[in-house]
Amino acid sequence: MSDNLLSVKDARARLLASLKPNPIEEVPLLQALGRRLAEDIRAPFDFPLFHTSSMDGFAVRSADLMAASRKKPAILEVIETIPAGKLPEHKLSTGQTARIMTGAVLPEGADAVVPVEQTDQDWRGEFHPTDVLRVAFFQSVESGAYIRPVGEDYRQGEVILSKRRLRPQEIGLLAMVGYKTVPVYRRVRLGLFSSGDELVEPGEPLPPGKIYDSNAYTLASLGEKYGADVVWLGLARDHPAQVHETLEGGVREGVDLLLSTAGVSVGAFDYVRQMLEQFGKLDFWRVNMRPGKPIAFGSYREIPFIGLPGNPVSAFVGFEVFVRPAIQCLEGDENPDRQSVQVRLGQEIRSDGRESYLRAIIERENEGYVAQLTGHQGSGNLHSLVSANALLIVPSGVKFLPAGALVSAWILD
Ligand code: AMP
Ligand code: MG
């Protein structure tokens, strides 16, 4: 490669190494969905906490049914009914059984449960006779049948959740072990601004020579999608005082990461550069990727800063490649990783040898996926991104791939 081009991998590693995880806060369980758990969680008690019936039926002593058959059923005396949530009142002795419901505590003396369907009883519908005093059993039962033993799922002290992003099932597990609040990393406050004299807010009339500020909306939406609190800092015109004021807004808002779009191509970024150099630092990194080669990294008054290119597709790809892992890293994930899938090319691909992120549609085909590019790959062509459901990643150094070759892809939906 020519002059000091950074690989995507090295650029990302350098960026992430400069970030510190956000502080930890305790939030109510129902506000923790999608947040990153900040501590390993250990089971405060065995689960199940008591021997539990897994069926509606009868708790028995398996020895009592040893000789039971169709011809010679075992007849047991019903001593009580045990609903879920109530403790049994009696110990089971030889010749006795207790009606038991799913989730109810097994009575002392019992070592198995026989489902009601396997007896001469019939509890269908709402008819639950509690006046039946004798029940017939037609077969033997193994000790332990239909019982969830104490600690079957996990033992007290065992790590049941390690640091991770919380999904609905993790929220449920935390509730199951009695957590009302949970320690998570504070959500990332992402301070976003766009820059450029050509930009107009959507909804306003569009004078000649101007364009609507679409990046603000794409990037804010990406930020939200990846779990950040997006703080809109405004549209900075190309005036030093305005750029300064916009950056100061980020400080006042206490953002964790400053993100700007446009003006990182040479010569056009003077005021953001000037402000960052005056109050922090700024590096222009020429990253060996396409789209989005010129990317700015630095800090403003100690707040990390990322400057994405202005071209709408470059801004989008730059976010996926750098800002998304930065958000994850600020949320305590030291090793943000992204799942990719292997797809088969449905057409040949030519690239210029930089690591390329190509817009594509992938579809299921037999066991795998097949990919087609979505039209011309110009970095301003947001429409071809809208038709895409994946980004194909062509590694650096590769200039040609034949149809049928396998490449990695990020699924966008
Ligand atoms: P720049 O990075 O300033 O050289 O801008 C590159 C291209 O992106 C130019 O065509 C800009 O008009 C366009 N652009 C810059 N900012 C935005 C934005 N916020 N929304 C949409 N397009 C933009
Ligand atoms: Mg510009």
Side-chain angles (χ1 to χ4, degrees):
M1 273 298 113
S2 59
D3 57 321
N4 63 344
L5 272 181
L6 268 175
S7 72
V8 171
K9 190 162 165 272
D10 289 348
R12 189 158 39 206
R14 227 195 251 192
L15 163 70
L16 299 187
S18 71
L19 302 175
K20 282 187 211 64
N22 269 354
I24 294 167
E25 64 183 5
E26 194 78 19
V27 300
L29 200 48
L30 275 182
Q31 287 168 28
L33 182 63
R35 307 287 296 275
R36 199 159 183 286
L37 187 62
E39 284 169 18
D40 289 350
I41 302 290
R42 289 177 186 277
F45 45 74
D46 292 343
F47 198 91
L49 199 46
F50 36 82
H51 293 305
T52 309
S53 174
S54 69
M55 293 292 267
D56 292 331
F58 292 89
V60 298
R61 304 166 71 95
S62 59
D64 285 352
L65 305 192
M66 212 138 70
S69 67
R70 268 280 145 204
K71 279 193 184 142
K72 270 197 79 184
I75 310 289
L76 301 182
E77 177 204 354
V78 181
I79 56 165
E80 69 171 317
T81 294
I82 313 165
K86 267 188 80 183
L87 290 180
E89 283 169 13
H90 306 285
K91 183 180 167 188
L92 220 59
S93 305
T94 303
Q96 295 183 327
T97 183
R99 218 175 263 109
I100 192 163
M101 309 304 146
T102 305
V105 178
L106 199 73
E108 229 186 295
D111 70 335
V113 169
V114 178
V116 64
E117 300 87 336
Q118 294 172 19
T119 70
D120 66 344
Q121 300 295 302
D122 190 347
W123 289 353
R124 264 176 266 148
E126 286 171 14
F127 181 51
H128 285 217
T130 49
D131 53 348
V132 176
L133 296 180
R134 287 183 196 291
V135 183
F137 298 86
F138 305 104
Q139 61 201 61
S140 62
V141 62
E142 251 178 69
S143 178
Y146 299 107
I147 291 172
R148 294 186 197 130
V150 168
E152 181 182 46
D153 294 353
Y154 40 81
R155 288 288 179 185
Q156 179 177 11
E158 200 179 302
V159 173
I160 51 168
L161 274 184
S162 41
K163 291 183 178 191
R164 56 166 307 156
R165 196 162 297 281
L166 297 171
R167 302 171 300 170
Q169 52 269 51
E170 281 88 34
I171 302 289
L173 184 62
L174 287 162
M176 195 170 244
V177 295
Y179 277 71
K180 190 182 157 98
T181 62
V182 60
V184 292
Y185 288 96
R186 185 164 58 58
R187 205 188 280 283
V188 173
R189 288 173 67 73
L190 177 67
L192 174 65
F193 67 97
S194 28
S195 65
D197 280 344
E198 77 273 39
L199 301 177
V200 173
E201 259 295 304
E204 300 292 314
L206 198 62
K210 308 274 183 184
I211 58 167
Y212 285 123
D213 177 4
S214 59
N215 289 353
Y217 290 81
T218 313
L219 299 176
S221 303
L222 280 166
E224 264 179 41
K225 177 177 172 185
Y226 295 131
D229 274 336
V230 178
V231 181
W232 175 235
L233 300 176
L235 202 176
R237 298 296 170 197
D238 292 333
H239 299 290
Q242 256 204 43
V243 172
H244 188 213
E245 190 38 46
T246 304
L247 288 163
E248 280 300 311
V251 176
R252 277 196 301 277
E253 292 281 355
V255 302
D256 304 305
L257 178 63
L258 285 161
L259 180 65
S260 78
T261 156
V264 261
S265 36
V266 181
F269 199 41
D270 291 335
Y271 303 119
V272 179
R273 175 189 305 182
Q274 191 183 313
M275 291 305 142
L276 284 157
E277 279 170 352
Q278 198 171 333
F279 297 100
K281 60 180 170 26
L282 188 65
D283 280 329
F284 282 93
W285 291 357
R286 288 157 44 72
V287 180
N288 186 26
M289 68 184 280
R290 192 174 70 121
K293 179 167 72 171
I295 296 217
F297 292 96
S299 59
Y300 177 83
R301 292 182 55 187
E302 310 285 306
I303 303 173
F305 168 87
I306 302 177
L308 294 175
N311 272 313
V313 178
S314 308
F316 180 93
V317 170
F319 193 109
E320 292 281 353
V321 173
F322 295 109
V323 184
R324 182 186 196 235
I327 291 172
Q328 291 172 318
C329 192
L330 288 166
E331 269 202 319
D333 188 351
E334 296 114 19
N335 250 319
D337 209 8
R338 179 162 188 169
Q339 209 111 45
S340 59
V341 293
Q342 288 292 110
V343 302
R344 205 179 57 76
L345 292 179
Q347 63 183 100
E348 64 174 46
I349 280 180
R350 281 167 208 283
S351 171
D352 65 356
R354 288 187 270 166
E355 181 166 318
S356 300
Y357 292 78
L358 306 179
R359 286 143 264 169
I361 293 187
I362 61 173
E363 279 173 342
R364 277 224 96 89
E365 176 214 60
N366 305 323
E367 311 303 56
Y369 291 104
V370 64
Q372 300 282 350
L373 299 185
T374 59
H376 95 92
Q377 301 279 320
S379 55
N381 184 0
L382 198 56
H383 197 254
S384 71
L385 188 54
V386 168
S387 350
N389 64 3
L391 289 175
L392 305 187
I393 306 168
V394 179
S396 68
V398 174
K399 294 196 168 164
F400 176 77
L401 286 169
L406 286 177
V407 294
S408 300
W410 285 345
I411 294 179
L412 296 177
D413 300 332

mmCIF file of all heavy atoms in Angstrom, residues 222 249 320 399:
data_model
loop_
_atom_site.group_PDB
_atom_site.id
_atom_site.type_symbol
_atom_site.label_atom_id
_atom_site.label_comp_id
_atom_site.label_asym_id
_atom_site.label_seq_id
_atom_site.Cartn_x
_atom_site.Cartn_y
_atom_site.Cartn_z
ATOM 1 N N LEU A 222 -28.918 5.147 13.547
ATOM 2 C CA LEU A 222 -27.951 4.077 13.838
ATOM 3 C C LEU A 222 -27.597 4.085 15.322
ATOM 4 O O LEU A 222 -27.516 3.034 15.963
ATOM 5 C CB LEU A 222 -26.690 4.266 12.998
ATOM 6 C CG LEU A 222 -26.766 3.786 11.547
ATOM 7 C CD1 LEU A 222 -25.586 4.337 10.743
ATOM 8 C CD2 LEU A 222 -26.791 2.260 11.465
ATOM 9 N N GLY A 249 -21.532 22.497 23.335
ATOM 10 C CA GLY A 249 -22.833 21.887 23.641
ATOM 11 C C GLY A 249 -22.658 20.440 24.058
ATOM 12 O O GLY A 249 -23.296 19.965 25.000
ATOM 13 N N GLU A 320 -20.946 1.888 10.951
ATOM 14 C CA GLU A 320 -20.985 0.441 11.208
ATOM 15 C C GLU A 320 -19.594 -0.094 11.570
ATOM 16 O O GLU A 320 -19.460 -0.972 12.417
ATOM 17 C CB GLU A 320 -21.516 -0.308 9.981
ATOM 18 C CG GLU A 320 -22.995 -0.047 9.666
ATOM 19 C CD GLU A 320 -23.940 -0.850 10.562
ATOM 20 O OE1 GLU A 320 -23.474 -1.699 11.332
ATOM 21 O OE2 GLU A 320 -25.164 -0.599 10.477
ATOM 22 N N LYS A 399 -8.545 -7.890 -5.636
ATOM 23 C CA LYS A 399 -9.057 -7.002 -6.684
ATOM 24 C C LYS A 399 -10.120 -7.667 -7.550
ATOM 25 O O LYS A 399 -10.863 -6.991 -8.261
ATOM 26 C CB LYS A 399 -7.910 -6.513 -7.577
ATOM 27 C CG LYS A 399 -6.950 -5.608 -6.799
ATOM 28 C CD LYS A 399 -6.058 -4.820 -7.712
ATOM 29 C CE LYS A 399 -5.347 -3.721 -6.916
ATOM 30 N NZ LYS A 399 -4.220 -3.161 -7.631
#
